[in-house]
Amino acid sequence: MKTIDELLAEGVGGKRVFVRADLNVPLDGTTITDDGRIRAVLPTVKALAEAGAQVVVASHLGRPKGAPDPAFSLASAAARLGELLGAEVAFATDTVGESAKSTVGGLADGQVAVIENLRFNAGETSKDDAERGAFADQLAALADVYVGDGFGAVHRKHASVFDLPARLPHAAGYLIAAEVGVLKKLTEDVKRPYVVALGGSKVSDKLAVIDQLLGKADRLLIGGGMVFTFLKAKGYEVGSSLLQEDQIPVVQEYIERAEKNGVELVLPVDVLTSTEFPDLKTKAPANPNTVAADAIPAGELGLDIGPQTRDLYASKLADAATVFWNGPMGVFEHPDYAEGTKAVAQALLDSPGFTVVGGGDSAAAVRILGFDENAFGHISTGGGASLEYLEGKTLPGLAALED
């Protein structure tokens, strides 16, 4: 896989370089609530611009239905990129139409443009190879060179991620190189103890990675909404908590395999519960109950790990040489149910080992809860991509960058 440093050494001055970034930032209307993904691609964009390239940045945002939708416009992301660069960033109001052609054609050496949301064109996400390829051909006409730096999308077989690199000389940007380097530390010659903390809502989202980790990790700490399927699999009552009953047999098998393989599978000993889901808009006090994990009352739902579990999980992370965390421990968006996620984040900061926050809601929680991002070993920009890499899958966007 060619690196961007190799590309820069060959010279990019006067060339149009297409950078597939991940500017899929959360928006409140047109206001960006977390610009972490924009900041993550800055080193690549800056390096190319300073080397005299005409930089064309492209990304998806949200899940539009293959047609323009103002709610998913990249205009705000383009403006923020300009602020962070300290330079004007041109914005094309389409992907491969007249605006894109004229905007890109008007770039001088060292200037940057962002084209509109790639998913406004149905060819970007099409399952049909020909339709996807036709869109990739149109994108290729905008540039001379391709740089892949949108790690959050490399697990997608999309036109700009998979098909476009085959049509242009290509290299990996700084972000992708960093992300892959970190993931190799989690899969090759891992320093031990290797502890993985998994949360989030659905156990089905994590089954494949748990399956892999049962042969690699030393400890698995389970929290979030997914934990109630584990508790139910152990025969505990879980009240009205989130539950995937169809996954109980698989989870039971995983519990048995963990014991057989000598993997310490750690579940909560207490949880915070309520009779209703908290109001995340008003953040009105929820007055949660603290109950034993094996005694959740009927009609109540678990919304966070409890204080004893917070201490337990911190102790299980204290001696870790390698830590991977993906998924919050509870409904961290509400202050009454944020302490479990805070405790795990703090335990990572206190750990002497190499700590990785696996993107998605975990990365958002770190920022929302006020932690110093730079204090962690690495915060990934791609939760789904990280998980699929750990599952052992071939990621289309990485395969496409291989020579």
Side-chain angles (χ1 to χ4, degrees):
M1 186 183 293
K2 180 185 283 188
T3 67
I4 188 171
D5 285 331
E6 291 173 306
L7 181 66
L8 291 169
E10 293 172 358
V12 294
K15 292 183 179 179
R16 287 182 297 174
V17 181
F18 188 104
V19 178
R20 190 2 171 139
D22 179 7
L23 308 181
N24 186 27
V25 291
L27 294 173
D28 181 2
T30 59
T31 302
I32 297 170
T33 58
D34 180 358
D35 67 357
R37 284 177 169 163
I38 301 175
R39 287 184 284 112
V41 79
L42 276 179
T44 292
V45 174
K46 275 186 175 179
L48 290 167
E50 289 172 0
Q54 299 161 25
V55 187
V56 183
V57 181
S59 176
H60 68 288
L61 192 152
R63 296 179 182 272
K65 305 298 183 183
D69 183 338
F72 298 108
S73 174
L74 281 173
S76 296
R80 181 58 179 152
L81 178 62
E83 291 172 359
L84 293 168
L85 286 171
E88 184 179 351
V89 168
F91 180 64
T93 57
D94 57 29
T95 55
V96 290
E98 290 307 312
S99 179
K101 292 173 184 175
S102 62
T103 301
V104 172
L107 289 176
D109 294 353
Q111 290 186 329
V112 180
V114 173
I115 62 174
E116 186 56 284
N117 192 335
L118 292 164
R119 291 185 183 174
F120 285 0
N121 189 304
E124 169 68 0
T125 60
S126 176
K127 301 254 190 276
D128 181 81
D129 290 348
E131 184 180 10
R132 223 176 42 248
F135 183 49
D137 287 339
Q138 291 178 294
L139 292 173
L142 296 175
D144 306 305
V145 181
Y146 176 94
V147 172
D149 215 30
F151 181 74
V154 293
H155 58 314
R156 306 295 188 192
K157 192 177 181 181
H158 291 169
S160 66
V161 176
F162 178 74
D163 302 272
L164 183 55
R167 288 157 167 80
L168 295 171
H170 50 265
Y174 289 123
L175 175 60
I176 279 187
E179 294 272 15
V180 172
V182 165
L183 289 168
K184 285 184 176 179
K185 289 184 180 181
L186 299 178
T187 54
E188 302 172 11
D189 298 321
V190 182
K191 292 184 179 180
R192 298 183 181 279
Y194 178 21
V195 185
V196 177
L198 294 176
S201 58
K202 293 183 179 180
V203 69
S204 56
D205 293 341
K206 304 289 197 302
L207 286 178
V209 76
I210 293 172
D211 183 58
Q212 287 291 315
L213 291 169
L214 287 174
K216 295 176 181 175
D218 298 299
R219 290 180 205 130
L220 286 176
L221 316 180
I222 308 294
M226 64 183 281
V227 79
F228 300 105
T229 303
F230 278 83
L231 295 175
K232 188 71 171 180
K234 290 180 69 71
Y236 302 158
E237 289 303 320
V238 297
S240 302
S241 303
L242 185 64
L243 180 65
Q244 290 186 277
E245 292 202 48
D246 60 323
Q247 303 298 337
I248 289 175
V250 180
V251 170
Q252 288 173 328
E253 191 269 325
Y254 283 0
I255 292 172
E256 293 169 5
R257 184 142 59 94
E259 185 174 359
K260 181 180 178 181
N261 291 353
V263 177
E264 190 178 1
L265 182 61
V266 188
L267 300 177
V269 294
D270 62 345
V271 296
L272 300 187
T273 67
S274 178
T275 55
E276 58 186 5
F277 198 84
D279 189 325
L280 300 183
K281 288 188 176 181
T282 66
K283 306 288 179 38
N287 301 314
N289 300 316
T290 302
V291 302
D294 60 355
I296 298 174
E300 296 196 11
L301 63 158
L303 296 163
D304 194 13
I305 57 174
Q308 291 182 50
T309 304
R310 297 198 291 267
D311 291 343
L312 172 65
Y313 283 15
S315 72
K316 296 296 182 181
L317 290 162
D319 66 344
T322 305
V323 181
F324 176 72
W325 169 37
N326 180 279
M329 295 292 108
V331 186
F332 73 93
E333 300 91 342
H334 192 285
D336 287 347
Y337 301 107
E339 293 304 317
T341 301
K342 280 184 183 177
V344 168
Q346 186 61 52
L348 262 69
L349 292 183
D350 295 339
S351 170
F354 179 61
T355 57
V356 180
V357 181
D361 286 341
S362 309
V366 163
R367 299 182 183 109
I368 290 170
L369 297 175
F371 288 93
D372 178 5
E373 297 174 57
N374 297 320
F376 297 88
H378 180 74
I379 297 181
S380 178
T381 57
S386 295
L387 288 176
E388 290 199 14
Y389 190 101
L390 294 182
E391 289 168 20
K393 291 183 178 179
T394 297
L395 306 188
L398 296 185
L401 293 175
E402 297 289 348
D403 291 328

